[in-house]
Amino acid sequence: QVAMSVPLKKRLWQTIVIAKIGNQAGLLEHLSRDRAQTLRAMAGRVGSGDPDNIEAQAARAYWSALFTKFTRADDDDRRNALLNYGYAVIRAAIARACVASGLLPAFGLHHASKVNAFNLVDDLIEPFRPFVDRSAQARALETDNDTLSVDDRRHMANILNDTALVGRERMTVLAATEVTPMSLVRAIEHNSALLLQLPEFTGSNP
């Protein structure tokens, strides 16, 4: 893992970004929102290493289509609290799976902060984020609390039981968090980004 070549890292990051944008588009389609096709077109323009930062461009279109009057920088917005809690749940699951697969979480593909012990986890979580986004969007519509309740946390933690498609196999999001790091090990061993298996958003209920 430490000796991975830069070209392989860039191809793996390209694969991750394409999967993330594809899942964002899938969620917008599931909710019958605009800009899904715009996102899919953006995914087709992601190059090795995403040199044009298509990920950020897609994010701007995605958030404005998913939520109204929303910014990720607003700490007082309960929707952000729901998102952050869900991301933390997924992040912890991926971190455990990385260690179990023999990977070093500090050595990322794209993220490379010297003070972040989970750079790799923050790479691999990207395609999982739209699963959390769907759950947070649904919960925000169901209740209107000012702060996160115990039920809110329980609802977001249940994201691990949602359904994801990996290859041709349907599985829980939790199972997908285990498959992805294992597939990364194979991708590193065989020097092929094609072996990286990432979750696909299907819109299926748990």
Side-chain angles (χ1 to χ4, degrees), residues 26-74:
L27 175 54
L28 294 184
E29 288 171 346
H30 175 70
L31 297 174
S32 300
R33 301 290 174 82
D34 295 333
R35 301 188 181 176
Q37 291 306 312
T38 299
L39 261 65
R40 293 205 182 279
M42 287 183 175
R45 300 202 305 271
V46 178
S48 178
D50 190 19
D52 298 320
N53 203 11
I54 301 297
E55 179 193 16
Q57 297 176 41
R60 288 192 289 271
Y62 171 69
W63 289 118
S64 62
L66 184 61
F67 291 126
T68 57
K69 298 179 180 179
F70 175 80
T71 172
R72 279 291 286 145
D74 186 358

mmCIF file of all heavy atoms in Angstrom, residues 26-74:
data_model
loop_
_atom_site.group_PDB
_atom_site.id
_atom_site.type_symbol
_atom_site.label_atom_id
_atom_site.label_comp_id
_atom_site.label_asym_id
_atom_site.label_seq_id
_atom_site.Cartn_x
_atom_site.Cartn_y
_atom_site.Cartn_z
ATOM 1 N N GLY A 26 -28.022 9.121 -8.924
ATOM 2 C CA GLY A 26 -29.026 8.098 -8.644
ATOM 3 C C GLY A 26 -30.007 8.539 -7.576
ATOM 4 O O GLY A 26 -31.214 8.270 -7.669
ATOM 5 N N LEU A 27 -29.510 9.228 -6.556
ATOM 6 C CA LEU A 27 -30.396 9.713 -5.500
ATOM 7 C C LEU A 27 -31.334 10.791 -6.032
ATOM 8 O O LEU A 27 -32.536 10.783 -5.727
ATOM 9 C CB LEU A 27 -29.570 10.256 -4.332
ATOM 10 C CG LEU A 27 -30.365 10.920 -3.200
ATOM 11 C CD1 LEU A 27 -31.455 9.989 -2.657
ATOM 12 C CD2 LEU A 27 -29.436 11.359 -2.077
ATOM 13 N N LEU A 28 -30.811 11.710 -6.831
ATOM 14 C CA LEU A 28 -31.669 12.747 -7.402
ATOM 15 C C LEU A 28 -32.746 12.133 -8.295
ATOM 16 O O LEU A 28 -33.905 12.580 -8.285
ATOM 17 C CB LEU A 28 -30.829 13.752 -8.199
ATOM 18 C CG LEU A 28 -29.842 14.614 -7.390
ATOM 19 C CD1 LEU A 28 -29.148 15.622 -8.311
ATOM 20 C CD2 LEU A 28 -30.542 15.329 -6.242
ATOM 21 N N GLU A 29 -32.386 11.112 -9.045
ATOM 22 C CA GLU A 29 -33.383 10.418 -9.877
ATOM 23 C C GLU A 29 -34.424 9.743 -8.995
ATOM 24 O O GLU A 29 -35.629 9.790 -9.292
ATOM 25 C CB GLU A 29 -32.685 9.386 -10.761
ATOM 26 C CG GLU A 29 -31.871 10.006 -11.894
ATOM 27 C CD GLU A 29 -31.010 8.988 -12.618
ATOM 28 O OE1 GLU A 29 -30.825 7.862 -12.101
ATOM 29 O OE2 GLU A 29 -30.498 9.339 -13.697
ATOM 30 N N HIS A 30 -33.975 9.119 -7.919
ATOM 31 C CA HIS A 30 -34.882 8.444 -6.988
ATOM 32 C C HIS A 30 -35.892 9.420 -6.393
ATOM 33 O O HIS A 30 -37.061 9.067 -6.169
ATOM 34 C CB HIS A 30 -34.062 7.794 -5.871
ATOM 35 C CG HIS A 30 -34.875 7.159 -4.788
ATOM 36 N ND1 HIS A 30 -35.621 6.005 -4.990
ATOM 37 C CD2 HIS A 30 -35.068 7.508 -3.482
ATOM 38 C CE1 HIS A 30 -36.236 5.684 -3.861
ATOM 39 N NE2 HIS A 30 -35.917 6.575 -2.940
ATOM 40 N N LEU A 31 -35.461 10.638 -6.161
ATOM 41 C CA LEU A 31 -36.325 11.660 -5.566
ATOM 42 C C LEU A 31 -37.026 12.517 -6.621
ATOM 43 O O LEU A 31 -37.719 13.473 -6.273
ATOM 44 C CB LEU A 31 -35.497 12.568 -4.654
ATOM 45 C CG LEU A 31 -34.841 11.895 -3.442
ATOM 46 C CD1 LEU A 31 -33.928 12.871 -2.720
ATOM 47 C CD2 LEU A 31 -35.901 11.343 -2.489
ATOM 48 N N SER A 32 -36.824 12.170 -7.887
ATOM 49 C CA SER A 32 -37.415 12.921 -9.010
ATOM 50 C C SER A 32 -36.993 14.388 -8.989
ATOM 51 O O SER A 32 -37.809 15.297 -9.198
ATOM 52 C CB SER A 32 -38.951 12.809 -8.978
ATOM 53 O OG SER A 32 -39.356 11.476 -9.090
ATOM 54 N N ARG A 33 -35.705 14.607 -8.744
ATOM 55 C CA ARG A 33 -35.168 15.965 -8.716
ATOM 56 C C ARG A 33 -34.439 16.268 -10.016
ATOM 57 O O ARG A 33 -34.007 15.375 -10.734
ATOM 58 C CB ARG A 33 -34.189 16.123 -7.542
ATOM 59 C CG ARG A 33 -34.808 15.856 -6.181
ATOM 60 C CD ARG A 33 -35.797 16.939 -5.782
ATOM 61 N NE ARG A 33 -36.487 16.609 -4.546
ATOM 62 C CZ ARG A 33 -35.988 16.804 -3.336
ATOM 63 N NH1 ARG A 33 -34.785 17.315 -3.197
ATOM 64 N NH2 ARG A 33 -36.699 16.492 -2.264
ATOM 65 N N ASP A 34 -34.279 17.561 -10.266
ATOM 66 C CA ASP A 34 -33.553 17.998 -11.449
ATOM 67 C C ASP A 34 -32.054 17.728 -11.306
ATOM 68 O O ASP A 34 -31.564 17.438 -10.218
ATOM 69 C CB ASP A 34 -33.777 19.498 -11.673
ATOM 70 C CG ASP A 34 -35.228 19.819 -11.996
ATOM 71 O OD1 ASP A 34 -35.916 18.933 -12.528
ATOM 72 O OD2 ASP A 34 -35.662 20.962 -11.716
ATOM 73 N N ARG A 35 -31.340 17.864 -12.392
ATOM 74 C CA ARG A 35 -29.882 17.855 -12.464
ATOM 75 C C ARG A 35 -29.250 16.463 -12.379
ATOM 76 O O ARG A 35 -28.029 16.349 -12.351
ATOM 77 C CB ARG A 35 -29.273 18.761 -11.392
ATOM 78 C CG ARG A 35 -29.731 20.216 -11.525
ATOM 79 C CD ARG A 35 -28.974 21.124 -10.600
ATOM 80 N NE ARG A 35 -29.454 22.486 -10.726
ATOM 81 C CZ ARG A 35 -29.028 23.496 -9.990
ATOM 82 N NH1 ARG A 35 -28.091 23.278 -9.068
ATOM 83 N NH2 ARG A 35 -29.506 24.699 -10.161
ATOM 84 N N ALA A 36 -30.048 15.414 -12.342
ATOM 85 C CA ALA A 36 -29.463 14.074 -12.317
ATOM 86 C C ALA A 36 -28.653 13.825 -13.591
ATOM 87 O O ALA A 36 -27.528 13.314 -13.528
ATOM 88 C CB ALA A 36 -30.548 13.021 -12.156
ATOM 89 N N GLN A 37 -29.210 14.185 -14.736
ATOM 90 C CA GLN A 37 -28.502 13.963 -15.992
ATOM 91 C C GLN A 37 -27.279 14.863 -16.102
ATOM 92 O O GLN A 37 -26.257 14.482 -16.683
ATOM 93 C CB GLN A 37 -29.449 14.202 -17.178
ATOM 94 C CG GLN A 37 -30.529 13.140 -17.299
ATOM 95 C CD GLN A 37 -29.964 11.732 -17.339
ATOM 96 O OE1 GLN A 37 -29.024 11.450 -18.083
ATOM 97 N NE2 GLN A 37 -30.521 10.841 -16.536
ATOM 98 N N THR A 38 -27.369 16.058 -15.507
ATOM 99 C CA THR A 38 -26.206 16.948 -15.481
ATOM 100 C C THR A 38 -25.064 16.294 -14.734
ATOM 101 O O THR A 38 -23.901 16.328 -15.172
ATOM 102 C CB THR A 38 -26.576 18.280 -14.814
ATOM 103 O OG1 THR A 38 -27.612 18.921 -15.567
ATOM 104 C CG2 THR A 38 -25.362 19.199 -14.726
ATOM 105 N N LEU A 39 -25.378 15.680 -13.602
ATOM 106 C CA LEU A 39 -24.351 14.999 -12.817
ATOM 107 C C LEU A 39 -23.770 13.814 -13.574
ATOM 108 O O LEU A 39 -22.555 13.579 -13.532
ATOM 109 C CB LEU A 39 -24.920 14.555 -11.468
ATOM 110 C CG LEU A 39 -24.597 15.488 -10.284
ATOM 111 C CD1 LEU A 39 -25.259 16.846 -10.494
ATOM 112 C CD2 LEU A 39 -25.067 14.890 -8.967
ATOM 113 N N ARG A 40 -24.611 13.058 -14.251
ATOM 114 C CA ARG A 40 -24.104 11.900 -14.998
ATOM 115 C C ARG A 40 -23.157 12.359 -16.110
ATOM 116 O O ARG A 40 -22.162 11.696 -16.410
ATOM 117 C CB ARG A 40 -25.259 11.079 -15.556
ATOM 118 C CG ARG A 40 -26.095 10.401 -14.476
ATOM 119 C CD ARG A 40 -26.810 9.175 -14.968
ATOM 120 N NE ARG A 40 -27.631 8.579 -13.914
ATOM 121 C CZ ARG A 40 -27.162 7.778 -12.956
ATOM 122 N NH1 ARG A 40 -25.872 7.495 -12.929
ATOM 123 N NH2 ARG A 40 -27.978 7.275 -12.048
ATOM 124 N N ALA A 41 -23.465 13.483 -16.720
ATOM 125 C CA ALA A 41 -22.574 14.021 -17.747
ATOM 126 C C ALA A 41 -21.246 14.443 -17.125
ATOM 127 O O ALA A 41 -20.169 14.236 -17.711
ATOM 128 C CB ALA A 41 -23.234 15.207 -18.449
ATOM 129 N N MET A 42 -21.306 15.022 -15.925
ATOM 130 C CA MET A 42 -20.087 15.411 -15.222
ATOM 131 C C MET A 42 -19.232 14.191 -14.902
ATOM 132 O O MET A 42 -18.002 14.216 -15.030
ATOM 133 C CB MET A 42 -20.432 16.144 -13.923
ATOM 134 C CG MET A 42 -20.964 17.550 -14.105
ATOM 135 S SD MET A 42 -21.254 18.345 -12.501
ATOM 136 C CE MET A 42 -21.726 19.991 -13.023
ATOM 137 N N ALA A 43 -19.872 13.107 -14.477
ATOM 138 C CA ALA A 43 -19.139 11.886 -14.136
ATOM 139 C C ALA A 43 -18.331 11.383 -15.335
ATOM 140 O O ALA A 43 -17.234 10.849 -15.177
ATOM 141 C CB ALA A 43 -20.104 10.808 -13.653
ATOM 142 N N GLY A 44 -18.874 11.584 -16.528
ATOM 143 C CA GLY A 44 -18.180 11.153 -17.734
ATOM 144 C C GLY A 44 -16.954 11.976 -18.066
ATOM 145 O O GLY A 44 -16.158 11.581 -18.920
ATOM 146 N N ARG A 45 -16.819 13.125 -17.390
ATOM 147 C CA ARG A 45 -15.669 13.997 -17.671
ATOM 148 C C ARG A 45 -14.569 13.886 -16.617
ATOM 149 O O ARG A 45 -13.568 14.602 -16.694
ATOM 150 C CB ARG A 45 -16.135 15.460 -17.745
ATOM 151 C CG ARG A 45 -17.180 15.740 -18.819
ATOM 152 C CD ARG A 45 -17.200 17.215 -19.194
ATOM 153 N NE ARG A 45 -17.394 18.091 -18.038
ATOM 154 C CZ ARG A 45 -18.585 18.477 -17.582
ATOM 155 N NH1 ARG A 45 -19.698 18.055 -18.190
ATOM 156 N NH2 ARG A 45 -18.688 19.297 -16.550
ATOM 157 N N VAL A 46 -14.742 13.005 -15.647
ATOM 158 C CA VAL A 46 -13.735 12.860 -14.592
ATOM 159 C C VAL A 46 -12.508 12.154 -15.149
ATOM 160 O O VAL A 46 -12.589 11.029 -15.640
ATOM 161 C CB VAL A 46 -14.292 12.062 -13.391
ATOM 162 C CG1 VAL A 46 -13.205 11.875 -12.330
ATOM 163 C CG2 VAL A 46 -15.490 12.779 -12.789
ATOM 164 N N GLY A 47 -11.374 12.819 -15.063
ATOM 165 C CA GLY A 47 -10.138 12.231 -15.552
ATOM 166 C C GLY A 47 -9.359 11.559 -14.436
ATOM 167 O O GLY A 47 -9.763 11.581 -13.268
ATOM 168 N N SER A 48 -8.240 10.958 -14.765
ATOM 169 C CA SER A 48 -7.399 10.294 -13.783
ATOM 170 C C SER A 48 -6.930 11.295 -12.737
ATOM 171 O O SER A 48 -6.303 12.305 -13.069
ATOM 172 C CB SER A 48 -6.185 9.667 -14.477
ATOM 173 O OG SER A 48 -5.335 9.050 -13.543
ATOM 174 N N GLY A 49 -7.262 11.046 -11.482
ATOM 175 C CA GLY A 49 -6.915 11.967 -10.419
ATOM 176 C C GLY A 49 -7.868 13.135 -10.293
ATOM 177 O O GLY A 49 -7.686 13.990 -9.434
ATOM 178 N N ASP A 50 -8.877 13.208 -11.154
ATOM 179 C CA ASP A 50 -9.839 14.307 -11.188
ATOM 180 C C ASP A 50 -9.136 15.668 -11.194
ATOM 181 O O ASP A 50 -9.350 16.512 -10.304
ATOM 182 C CB ASP A 50 -10.802 14.219 -9.994
ATOM 183 C CG ASP A 50 -11.985 15.197 -10.126
ATOM 184 O OD1 ASP A 50 -12.261 15.650 -11.249
ATOM 185 O OD2 ASP A 50 -12.610 15.510 -9.084
ATOM 186 N N PRO A 51 -8.293 15.928 -12.200
ATOM 187 C CA PRO A 51 -7.517 17.173 -12.235
ATOM 188 C C PRO A 51 -8.373 18.430 -12.360
ATOM 189 O O PRO A 51 -7.946 19.519 -11.940
ATOM 190 C CB PRO A 51 -6.620 16.989 -13.468
ATOM 191 C CG PRO A 51 -7.382 16.047 -14.346
ATOM 192 C CD PRO A 51 -8.059 15.103 -13.405
ATOM 193 N N ASP A 52 -9.561 18.307 -12.927
ATOM 194 C CA ASP A 52 -10.441 19.463 -13.102
ATOM 195 C C ASP A 52 -11.401 19.646 -11.925
ATOM 196 O O ASP A 52 -12.277 20.514 -11.970
ATOM 197 C CB ASP A 52 -11.240 19.318 -14.402
ATOM 198 C CG ASP A 52 -10.338 19.271 -15.631
ATOM 199 O OD1 ASP A 52 -9.356 20.038 -15.665
ATOM 200 O OD2 ASP A 52 -10.605 18.458 -16.533
ATOM 201 N N ASN A 53 -11.230 18.813 -10.889
ATOM 202 C CA ASN A 53 -12.067 18.900 -9.687
ATOM 203 C C ASN A 53 -13.558 18.853 -10.028
ATOM 204 O O ASN A 53 -14.354 19.667 -9.540
ATOM 205 C CB ASN A 53 -11.741 20.164 -8.886
ATOM 206 C CG ASN A 53 -12.130 20.029 -7.418
ATOM 207 O OD1 ASN A 53 -12.463 18.939 -6.943
ATOM 208 N ND2 ASN A 53 -12.121 21.126 -6.698
ATOM 209 N N ILE A 54 -13.909 17.886 -10.856
ATOM 210 C CA ILE A 54 -15.314 17.703 -11.222
ATOM 211 C C ILE A 54 -16.136 17.344 -9.989
ATOM 212 O O ILE A 54 -17.322 17.682 -9.894
ATOM 213 C CB ILE A 54 -15.455 16.593 -12.292
ATOM 214 C CG1 ILE A 54 -14.646 16.943 -13.543
ATOM 215 C CG2 ILE A 54 -16.920 16.374 -12.654
ATOM 216 C CD1 ILE A 54 -15.104 18.192 -14.252
ATOM 217 N N GLU A 55 -15.499 16.692 -9.016
ATOM 218 C CA GLU A 55 -16.195 16.323 -7.784
ATOM 219 C C GLU A 55 -16.825 17.548 -7.122
ATOM 220 O O GLU A 55 -17.994 17.522 -6.714
ATOM 221 C CB GLU A 55 -15.235 15.650 -6.809
ATOM 222 C CG GLU A 55 -15.897 15.253 -5.492
ATOM 223 C CD GLU A 55 -14.903 14.872 -4.410
ATOM 224 O OE1 GLU A 55 -13.710 15.203 -4.561
ATOM 225 O OE2 GLU A 55 -15.320 14.265 -3.412
ATOM 226 N N ALA A 56 -16.071 18.638 -7.013
ATOM 227 C CA ALA A 56 -16.575 19.857 -6.376
ATOM 228 C C ALA A 56 -17.661 20.511 -7.228
ATOM 229 O O ALA A 56 -18.655 21.027 -6.691
ATOM 230 C CB ALA A 56 -15.438 20.831 -6.134
ATOM 231 N N GLN A 57 -17.494 20.503 -8.540
ATOM 232 C CA GLN A 57 -18.499 21.079 -9.428
ATOM 233 C C GLN A 57 -19.822 20.318 -9.303
ATOM 234 O O GLN A 57 -20.903 20.917 -9.257
ATOM 235 C CB GLN A 57 -18.009 21.040 -10.876
ATOM 236 C CG GLN A 57 -16.762 21.871 -11.135
ATOM 237 C CD GLN A 57 -16.269 21.718 -12.564
ATOM 238 O OE1 GLN A 57 -17.066 21.685 -13.510
ATOM 239 N NE2 GLN A 57 -14.954 21.611 -12.743
ATOM 240 N N ALA A 58 -19.715 18.990 -9.241
ATOM 241 C CA ALA A 58 -20.912 18.169 -9.099
ATOM 242 C C ALA A 58 -21.589 18.413 -7.751
ATOM 243 O O ALA A 58 -22.819 18.430 -7.652
ATOM 244 C CB ALA A 58 -20.553 16.694 -9.256
ATOM 245 N N ALA A 59 -20.776 18.605 -6.719
ATOM 246 C CA ALA A 59 -21.318 18.825 -5.377
ATOM 247 C C ALA A 59 -22.189 20.072 -5.335
ATOM 248 O O ALA A 59 -23.252 20.079 -4.700
ATOM 249 C CB ALA A 59 -20.190 18.928 -4.367
ATOM 250 N N ARG A 60 -21.758 21.134 -5.986
ATOM 251 C CA ARG A 60 -22.546 22.370 -5.986
ATOM 252 C C ARG A 60 -23.912 22.153 -6.628
ATOM 253 O O ARG A 60 -24.937 22.610 -6.114
ATOM 254 C CB ARG A 60 -21.775 23.478 -6.709
ATOM 255 C CG ARG A 60 -20.591 24.008 -5.920
ATOM 256 C CD ARG A 60 -20.051 25.290 -6.526
ATOM 257 N NE ARG A 60 -19.382 25.042 -7.797
ATOM 258 C CZ ARG A 60 -18.087 24.737 -7.905
ATOM 259 N NH1 ARG A 60 -17.333 24.622 -6.826
ATOM 260 N NH2 ARG A 60 -17.542 24.549 -9.100
ATOM 261 N N ALA A 61 -23.928 21.433 -7.748
ATOM 262 C CA ALA A 61 -25.197 21.159 -8.419
ATOM 263 C C ALA A 61 -26.059 20.207 -7.587
ATOM 264 O O ALA A 61 -27.286 20.367 -7.504
ATOM 265 C CB ALA A 61 -24.938 20.566 -9.804
ATOM 266 N N TYR A 62 -25.420 19.254 -6.975
ATOM 267 C CA TYR A 62 -26.120 18.213 -6.198
ATOM 268 C C TYR A 62 -26.833 18.783 -4.976
ATOM 269 O O TYR A 62 -28.024 18.555 -4.775
ATOM 270 C CB TYR A 62 -25.102 17.164 -5.784
ATOM 271 C CG TYR A 62 -25.582 16.118 -4.807
ATOM 272 C CD1 TYR A 62 -26.509 15.157 -5.189
ATOM 273 C CD2 TYR A 62 -25.067 16.073 -3.511
ATOM 274 C CE1 TYR A 62 -26.932 14.174 -4.290
ATOM 275 C CE2 TYR A 62 -25.469 15.089 -2.617
ATOM 276 C CZ TYR A 62 -26.402 14.154 -3.006
ATOM 277 O OH TYR A 62 -26.808 13.181 -2.126
ATOM 278 N N TRP A 63 -26.114 19.538 -4.149
ATOM 279 C CA TRP A 63 -26.711 20.032 -2.906
ATOM 280 C C TRP A 63 -27.856 20.993 -3.177
ATOM 281 O O TRP A 63 -28.868 20.980 -2.466
ATOM 282 C CB TRP A 63 -25.655 20.686 -2.024
ATOM 283 C CG TRP A 63 -24.694 19.721 -1.415
ATOM 284 C CD1 TRP A 63 -23.342 19.666 -1.603
ATOM 285 C CD2 TRP A 63 -24.999 18.655 -0.499
ATOM 286 N NE1 TRP A 63 -22.792 18.638 -0.882
ATOM 287 C CE2 TRP A 63 -23.782 17.994 -0.199
ATOM 288 C CE3 TRP A 63 -26.177 18.180 0.069
ATOM 289 C CZ2 TRP A 63 -23.714 16.904 0.664
ATOM 290 C CZ3 TRP A 63 -26.124 17.089 0.921
ATOM 291 C CH2 TRP A 63 -24.908 16.467 1.210
ATOM 292 N N SER A 64 -27.716 21.811 -4.202
ATOM 293 C CA SER A 64 -28.788 22.758 -4.499
ATOM 294 C C SER A 64 -30.034 22.052 -5.013
ATOM 295 O O SER A 64 -31.154 22.562 -4.870
ATOM 296 C CB SER A 64 -28.320 23.794 -5.526
ATOM 297 O OG SER A 64 -27.969 23.179 -6.755
ATOM 298 N N ALA A 65 -29.852 20.867 -5.601
ATOM 299 C CA ALA A 65 -31.002 20.088 -6.075
ATOM 300 C C ALA A 65 -31.616 19.236 -4.967
ATOM 301 O O ALA A 65 -32.823 18.989 -4.954
ATOM 302 C CB ALA A 65 -30.586 19.194 -7.244
ATOM 303 N N LEU A 66 -30.781 18.798 -4.022
ATOM 304 C CA LEU A 66 -31.258 17.910 -2.962
ATOM 305 C C LEU A 66 -32.019 18.663 -1.882
ATOM 306 O O LEU A 66 -33.065 18.211 -1.406
ATOM 307 C CB LEU A 66 -30.073 17.168 -2.335
ATOM 308 C CG LEU A 66 -30.411 16.129 -1.257
ATOM 309 C CD1 LEU A 66 -31.288 15.012 -1.827
ATOM 310 C CD2 LEU A 66 -29.135 15.552 -0.654
ATOM 311 N N PHE A 67 -31.491 19.815 -1.465
ATOM 312 C CA PHE A 67 -32.089 20.596 -0.381
ATOM 313 C C PHE A 67 -32.337 22.034 -0.840
ATOM 314 O O PHE A 67 -31.635 22.543 -1.716
ATOM 315 C CB PHE A 67 -31.154 20.648 0.835
ATOM 316 C CG PHE A 67 -30.984 19.342 1.556
ATOM 317 C CD1 PHE A 67 -29.712 18.825 1.784
ATOM 318 C CD2 PHE A 67 -32.076 18.632 2.028
ATOM 319 C CE1 PHE A 67 -29.534 17.632 2.466
ATOM 320 C CE2 PHE A 67 -31.907 17.432 2.713
ATOM 321 C CZ PHE A 67 -30.641 16.932 2.935
ATOM 322 N N THR A 68 -33.314 22.688 -0.205
ATOM 323 C CA THR A 68 -33.544 24.104 -0.448
ATOM 324 C C THR A 68 -32.931 24.913 0.690
ATOM 325 O O THR A 68 -32.944 24.490 1.843
ATOM 326 C CB THR A 68 -35.051 24.417 -0.529
ATOM 327 O OG1 THR A 68 -35.694 23.991 0.683
ATOM 328 C CG2 THR A 68 -35.684 23.695 -1.711
ATOM 329 N N LYS A 69 -32.390 26.080 0.337
ATOM 330 C CA LYS A 69 -31.783 26.980 1.321
ATOM 331 C C LYS A 69 -30.820 26.225 2.234
ATOM 332 O O LYS A 69 -30.976 26.183 3.449
ATOM 333 C CB LYS A 69 -32.866 27.670 2.151
ATOM 334 C CG LYS A 69 -33.805 28.544 1.344
ATOM 335 C CD LYS A 69 -34.866 29.181 2.222
ATOM 336 C CE LYS A 69 -35.798 30.053 1.400
ATOM 337 N NZ LYS A 69 -36.869 30.670 2.236
ATOM 338 N N PHE A 70 -29.821 25.629 1.607
ATOM 339 C CA PHE A 70 -28.917 24.746 2.348
ATOM 340 C C PHE A 70 -27.477 25.015 1.983
ATOM 341 O O PHE A 70 -27.151 25.258 0.819
ATOM 342 C CB PHE A 70 -29.251 23.278 2.031
ATOM 343 C CG PHE A 70 -28.312 22.283 2.651
ATOM 344 C CD1 PHE A 70 -28.444 21.917 3.977
ATOM 345 C CD2 PHE A 70 -27.300 21.694 1.901
ATOM 346 C CE1 PHE A 70 -27.579 21.003 4.566
ATOM 347 C CE2 PHE A 70 -26.434 20.766 2.471
ATOM 348 C CZ PHE A 70 -26.584 20.430 3.807
ATOM 349 N N THR A 71 -26.609 24.967 2.985
ATOM 350 C CA THR A 71 -25.168 24.992 2.768
ATOM 351 C C THR A 71 -24.511 24.073 3.778
ATOM 352 O O THR A 71 -24.924 24.030 4.947
ATOM 353 C CB THR A 71 -24.582 26.413 2.891
ATOM 354 O OG1 THR A 71 -23.153 26.335 2.849
ATOM 355 C CG2 THR A 71 -24.996 27.080 4.196
ATOM 356 N N ARG A 72 -23.513 23.349 3.341
ATOM 357 C CA ARG A 72 -22.832 22.401 4.225
ATOM 358 C C ARG A 72 -22.051 23.112 5.326
ATOM 359 O O ARG A 72 -21.664 22.499 6.312
ATOM 360 C CB ARG A 72 -21.883 21.512 3.412
ATOM 361 C CG ARG A 72 -22.534 20.359 2.709
ATOM 362 C CD ARG A 72 -23.048 19.304 3.677
ATOM 363 N NE ARG A 72 -21.970 18.512 4.269
ATOM 364 C CZ ARG A 72 -21.963 18.048 5.501
ATOM 365 N NH1 ARG A 72 -22.944 18.347 6.333
ATOM 366 N NH2 ARG A 72 -20.949 17.319 5.948
ATOM 367 N N ALA A 73 -21.846 24.400 5.176
ATOM 368 C CA ALA A 73 -21.064 25.139 6.164
ATOM 369 C C ALA A 73 -21.905 25.643 7.342
ATOM 370 O O ALA A 73 -21.360 26.198 8.292
ATOM 371 C CB ALA A 73 -20.362 26.319 5.505
ATOM 372 N N ASP A 74 -23.212 25.429 7.275
ATOM 373 C CA ASP A 74 -24.106 25.943 8.316
ATOM 374 C C ASP A 74 -24.230 24.938 9.458
ATOM 375 O O ASP A 74 -25.002 23.989 9.390
ATOM 376 C CB ASP A 74 -25.486 26.235 7.718
ATOM 377 C CG ASP A 74 -26.423 26.912 8.709
ATOM 378 O OD1 ASP A 74 -26.017 27.113 9.871
ATOM 379 O OD2 ASP A 74 -27.558 27.231 8.319
#
